Amino acid sequence: MTIGPGSGCKAKARHTGMPKQLIIDGKPIEVEDGTTLLQACELAGAEVPRFCYHERLSIAGNCRMCLVEVQGSPKPVASCAMGVNDLPPNKDGSPKVISTTTPLVKKAREGVMEFLLINHPLDCPICDQGGECDLQDQAMAFGIGGSRYTENKRAVEEKNIGPLIKTMMTRCIHCTRCVRYMTEVAGVEELGLIGRGEDAEITTYLEQGILSEMSANVVDLCPVGALTHRPWAFNARPWEMRKTESIDVMDAVGSAIRVDTRGREVMRVLPRNNDAVNEEWISDKTRHIADGLRTQRLDQPYVRRNGRLQPATWDEALSVAAANFKDHDPSRIGAIAGDLAGAEEMFALKDLMGRLGVKNIDCRQDGAKLDPSLGRASYLFNTTIEGIEAADAILLIGTNPRVEAAVLNTRIRKRWRQGGVRIGLVGAPADLGYPHDYLGAGPQTLTELAQGRLDFAEVLNQAAHPIVIVGMSALTRDDGAAVLALASHIATAVTEDKVVAGSGLNILHTAAARVAGLDLGFVPGEGGLDTRGMVEAAGAGKLDTLYLLGADEIDTAALGDAFVIYQGSHGDRGAHRADVILPGAAYTEKSATYVNTEGRAQMTEQAVFPMGEAKEDWKIIRALSGEVGQTLPYDTLSALRSAMYNSAPSLQRLDIVVGDGGDVAAALAAQAGELDGAPFGVAVSDFYLTNPIARASAVMAEMSALKAQSVKAAAAE
């Protein structure tokens, strides 16, 4: 059973269902049934050192650093592995007395620390973990000031755990946190402890790198310097950097992150704890994208002259861009917002296009058939990410959450490990990291499921908390609206008379900007063209000017002779096709609002200034509006946000999931059409190269090549 509130630990314990009374360091305390002694001590305000224990991992009891003295026990007790219900009662019925600061405990901990340091090298001056090392801190607090050992220290060869993790296994204290994380959370059972005694060591069984989308979290878990970040090795010390709390935009999960900077350079990205979203994990792409923020940057405006892009001043670039708005009919102008755009710049661009009379606008550059007029519940992950843990049946439609939302996929795996859940997949076959029932490849399977002709239909009907998750590969098709309507019908049918949020229908987005764009109504007006329509019109000579707000995932080669204005941070596909380039800011260089797939509005914070002459995106659009003669009525970010909040009130409720509670099923049913028999495709073909920042990263390019090589080798076998 799960030990303690919010814990991922498991251990055997006698449960009475009644709170347990204890006296810890002279302080009476009452704790919940199933709590460990270590958790009880912390609730009482006592500091208990530990190396192997982690609240989100199973209990190992390896390091013995968490020893405490229990009344009546002949020796100190490892508090992480002892549940309060395992304590034998006192004969007189009085509460058990626990001590954490007695001479016996102090001596026991000093002895444990002395043993841990027998073979630990004196690497602190050159160790990347220096300043953030649990072993350093606890040796100072709970160890002794010298060593009685003079024997030679053992050495262990460096292991190949992949290009993201640098190993120095001589420092390893065998806490097995990395082994348990890889097995339990990441779902990659390729790391383990082999050998006995002095020959014991952590290694990959087949001496090959681990290619998991979540592997680098082991660096945060490692309490010593045995595992560190390879791309970041020897670059900086923790105390040299300024730390800024922000939000990740590499996918639509909205993971909480910390951006560490030195000067004007982003040095690294680390996770922050947010139990409702990412717990304390982030994907490898989120963590190691930092070098992509420094390379292939657009740091000054450009204007295409005589077929070549040439540097220009801001006045020149804005003047040329404005002329192409003034000289053309609004019906021959279009604007597309990309996957990394913040809500502020999308609101400003929509406002400007509206003042110009332009109806050809769209934030769905992948062509997803999502309509904000049907209500927020029609395009949100309504169950919420945290709500996955209550599900007892999960139907995945046209999605592979392992590559589309790696952090969210760990929630599904966490739910699977708890038992009592069935998971079904309709779409392209995939290794999700947990067992599942493969039901079929396309809409025909959904039809059979809706008609109850598949066994999994009964699983959904019998479940108390079933949820349906629909991915982008099912919604970007021509029959995407029909697929969504059918998925909504299934979700509504299986959740009838059950307490499930949003009728159990959940949309898993892949773009960080998508939900905010839909909230703002950044979609075609009446008679306007969507993304595909604009691209086709441009290619046919029916669209004169196209404004790309960081839109790089469209077919830029099909834009014909249209005049393209590109606003973005990186020299990617859109910039290569552009006639005017307006350099914008990356997500670490601006304060912007993003809404994650569950509808939770969150805000990034500016960690560094934009590069060169680049400016914050909303300021560029505000300056352009003046050149066009349609000056937007806000000069400050606060004024813009005030107007934006009036347009989309849900954006001002930060870190709160806001739904609308409308009748989604009926609204979607009215949009239903013919289903295509073709199987669902793949929304994300390469996890490491999904956006301009990722494609600019050398680390991501290396990971992409290694993954492709691994897949090729597996196919050959």
Side-chain angles (χ1 to χ4, degrees):
M1 114 125 240
T2 300
I3 301 297
S7 169
C9 305
K10 296 182 178 181
K12 294 180 180 179
R14 293 186 301 273
H15 299 287
T16 63
M18 300 292 292
K20 189 79 171 181
Q21 293 183 338
L22 303 170
I23 298 177
I24 300 177
D25 291 340
K27 179 179 179 180
I29 187 172
E30 191 174 87
V31 296
E32 294 180 13
D33 179 33
T35 305
T36 64
L37 275 183
L38 189 149
Q39 292 170 325
C41 290
E42 291 195 332
L43 289 172
E47 182 181 1
V48 180
R50 85 292 300 267
F51 291 116
C52 68
Y53 174 81
H54 191 277
E55 64 177 5
R56 302 195 195 277
L57 303 176
S58 60
I59 293 172
N62 294 346
C63 71
R64 320 307 287 182
M65 195 65 199
C66 62
L67 295 174
V68 297
E69 186 176 356
V70 179
Q71 179 188 28
S73 175
K75 59 182 180 180
V77 171
S79 59
C80 72
M82 175 71 77
V84 294
N85 302 87
D86 292 325
L87 295 173
N90 291 333
K91 292 181 179 180
D92 59 359
S94 61
K96 273 289 185 182
V97 177
I98 314 296
S99 302
T100 67
T101 57
T102 61
L104 176 65
V105 173
K106 182 176 183 297
K107 183 177 180 180
R109 290 176 180 171
E110 288 175 350
V112 170
M113 180 62 70
E114 196 170 8
F115 274 110
L116 288 175
L117 295 176
I118 288 176
N119 286 310
H120 197 79
L122 301 177
D123 281 348
C124 296
I126 54 95
C127 178
D128 267 331
Q129 201 86 335
E132 299 175 317
C133 178
D134 291 344
L135 187 63
Q136 272 186 337
D137 297 339
Q138 294 186 35
M140 290 291 294
F142 302 101
I144 57 177
S147 173
R148 293 176 289 173
Y149 291 90
T150 59
E151 291 83 359
N152 293 330
K153 296 178 181 289
R154 78 166 189 163
V156 182
E157 291 183 3
E158 184 173 347
K159 306 301 178 186
N160 177 20
I161 307 186
L164 300 181
I165 306 169
K166 179 179 175 62
T167 62
M168 187 63 71
M169 303 311 292
T170 301
R171 303 169 185 163
C172 181
I173 61 171
H174 303 154
C175 69
T176 69
R177 278 187 181 182
C178 56
V179 176
R180 285 174 283 147
Y181 168 81
M182 285 293 189
T183 302
E184 298 165 11
V185 180
V188 182
E189 300 180 1
E190 297 178 4
L191 197 65
L193 179 70
I194 64 172
R196 294 176 64 85
E198 199 170 82
D199 294 326
E201 55 186 78
I202 303 288
T203 182
T204 54
Y205 300 115
L206 301 178
E207 289 294 327
Q208 63 183 17
I210 296 175
L211 289 176
S212 164
E213 296 78 15
M214 301 285 293
S215 63
N217 287 295
V218 296
V219 175
D220 297 330
L221 291 173
C222 184
V224 297
L227 304 175
T228 57
H229 292 136
R230 188 179 295 276
W232 190 72
F234 310 121
N235 279 348
R237 287 296 194 180
W239 55 84
E240 298 175 338
M241 295 182 289
R242 188 164 61 93
K243 302 165 179 61
T244 305
E245 295 186 351
S246 190
I247 301 298
D248 173 53
V249 300
M250 292 298 108
D251 54 31
V253 175
S255 300
I257 61 173
R258 192 187 84 194
V259 181
D260 287 359
T261 59
R262 184 175 62 182
R264 300 189 62 173
E265 187 174 352
V266 175
M267 301 301 295
R268 65 177 181 177
V269 176
L270 297 177
R272 287 189 296 119
N273 189 79
N274 186 342
D275 286 340
V277 181
N278 61 306
E279 297 184 301
E280 58 188 83
W281 318 124
I282 55 175
S283 72
D284 292 351
K285 181 167 56 176
T286 298
R287 184 185 297 270
H288 289 293
I289 207 72
D291 66 317
L293 293 166
R294 301 189 291 267
T295 55
Q296 297 185 15
R297 291 300 303 272
L298 299 173
D299 57 359
Q300 66 181 91
Y302 288 87
V303 174
R304 191 176 295 275
R305 300 187 180 98
N306 300 321
R308 300 189 64 180
L309 285 170
Q310 298 180 3
T313 65
W314 270 107
D315 289 339
E316 291 172 340
L318 290 173
S319 177
V320 173
N324 280 273
F325 284 116
K326 295 177 181 177
D327 298 343
H328 297 120
D329 186 271
S331 64
R332 299 178 66 88
I333 299 173
I336 302 174
D339 294 345
L340 303 182
E344 287 78 3
E345 50 259 34
M346 284 192 287
F347 173 76
L349 183 57
K350 183 194 174 193
D351 194 357
L352 176 58
M353 292 296 113
R355 293 170 187 272
L356 293 172
V358 176
K359 297 181 179 179
N360 307 320
I361 62 173
D362 203 353
C363 66
R364 305 160 301 182
Q365 63 173 339
D366 59 1
K369 304 302 186 290
L370 296 169
D371 188 351
S373 66
L374 302 178
R376 289 191 96 215
S378 69
Y379 59 84
L380 293 183
F381 200 97
N382 296 288
T383 305
T384 73
I385 296 173
E386 199 171 19
I388 292 173
E389 296 185 25
D392 51 0
I394 302 174
L395 175 63
L396 303 174
I397 302 174
T399 181
N400 178 358
R402 179 171 175 176
V403 295
E404 295 172 26
V407 173
L408 183 143
N409 196 55
T410 64
R411 287 276 191 173
I412 301 178
R413 177 174 171 80
K414 179 180 179 181
R415 178 64 190 91
W416 167 76
R417 290 191 68 248
Q418 293 171 352
V421 65
R422 287 278 297 277
I423 303 169
L425 171 63
V426 178
D431 178 8
L432 302 178
Y434 39 80
H436 60 276
D437 299 321
Y438 183 69
L439 307 177
Q444 179 61 34
T445 304
L446 279 186
T447 302
E448 294 175 2
L449 195 61
Q451 296 172 350
R453 294 188 298 178
L454 296 180
D455 293 340
F456 200 81
E458 187 62 22
V459 173
L460 292 172
N461 287 322
Q462 295 298 323
H465 299 281
I467 64 175
V468 176
I469 301 176
V470 186
M472 288 299 108
S473 69
L475 301 179
T476 54
R477 301 154 44 105
D478 291 337
D479 63 344
V483 172
L484 181 58
L486 183 54
S488 175
H489 170 73
I490 294 172
T492 303
V494 300
T495 56
E496 193 173 3
D497 300 326
K498 299 175 185 176
V499 184
V500 180
S503 299
L505 179 66
N506 301 279
I507 309 301
L508 181 56
H509 291 273
T510 57
R514 187 63 45 78
V515 175
L518 294 172
D519 285 344
L520 291 167
F522 200 100
V523 293
E526 185 177 354
L529 300 174
D530 60 9
T531 297
R532 178 190 289 183
M534 282 186 267
V535 172
E536 292 176 350
K542 299 179 181 179
L543 201 70
D544 297 322
T545 302
L546 186 61
Y547 198 103
L548 302 181
L549 180 59
D552 293 277
E553 313 308 321
I554 63 173
D555 184 5
T556 56
L559 297 180
D561 296 327
F563 189 88
V564 177
I565 302 167
Y566 179 79
Q567 177 181 333
S569 60
H570 284 71
D572 205 68
R573 300 163 184 164
H576 292 166
R577 172 58 185 82
D579 296 290
V580 172
I581 294 178
L582 307 176
Y587 72 103
T588 55
E589 300 163 358
K590 61 186 177 184
S591 175
T593 304
Y594 291 88
V595 184
N596 77 345
T597 190
E598 59 182 349
R600 185 187 303 271
Q602 301 178 107
M603 196 174 291
T604 63
E605 293 296 334
Q606 186 180 52
V608 292
F609 292 105
M611 283 200 169
E613 298 179 34
K615 300 183 183 298
E616 291 183 53
D617 292 277
W618 76 269
K619 292 181 179 179
I620 297 173
I621 298 169
R622 170 63 176 77
L624 178 62
S625 70
E627 292 286 334
V628 174
Q630 297 288 344
T631 304
L632 297 177
Y634 27 80
D635 298 326
T636 64
L637 183 58
S638 59
L640 182 152
R641 283 178 173 159
S642 178
M644 182 176 72
Y645 295 154
N646 287 332
S647 175
S650 61
L651 296 181
Q652 67 181 319
R653 303 184 66 181
L654 296 179
D655 206 32
I656 297 175
V657 177
V658 182
D660 58 7
D663 188 356
V664 180
L668 290 174
Q671 303 291 317
E674 291 292 328
L675 285 169
D676 188 346
F680 296 135
V682 177
V684 176
S685 58
D686 192 332
F687 169 77
Y688 299 102
L689 303 177
T690 55
N691 59 62
I693 302 176
R695 289 190 286 269
S697 168
V699 176
M700 293 298 103
E702 182 182 3
M703 291 300 298
S704 175
L706 286 172
K707 187 68 173 181
Q709 182 180 355
S710 173
V711 171
K712 185 177 179 180
E717 292 176 0

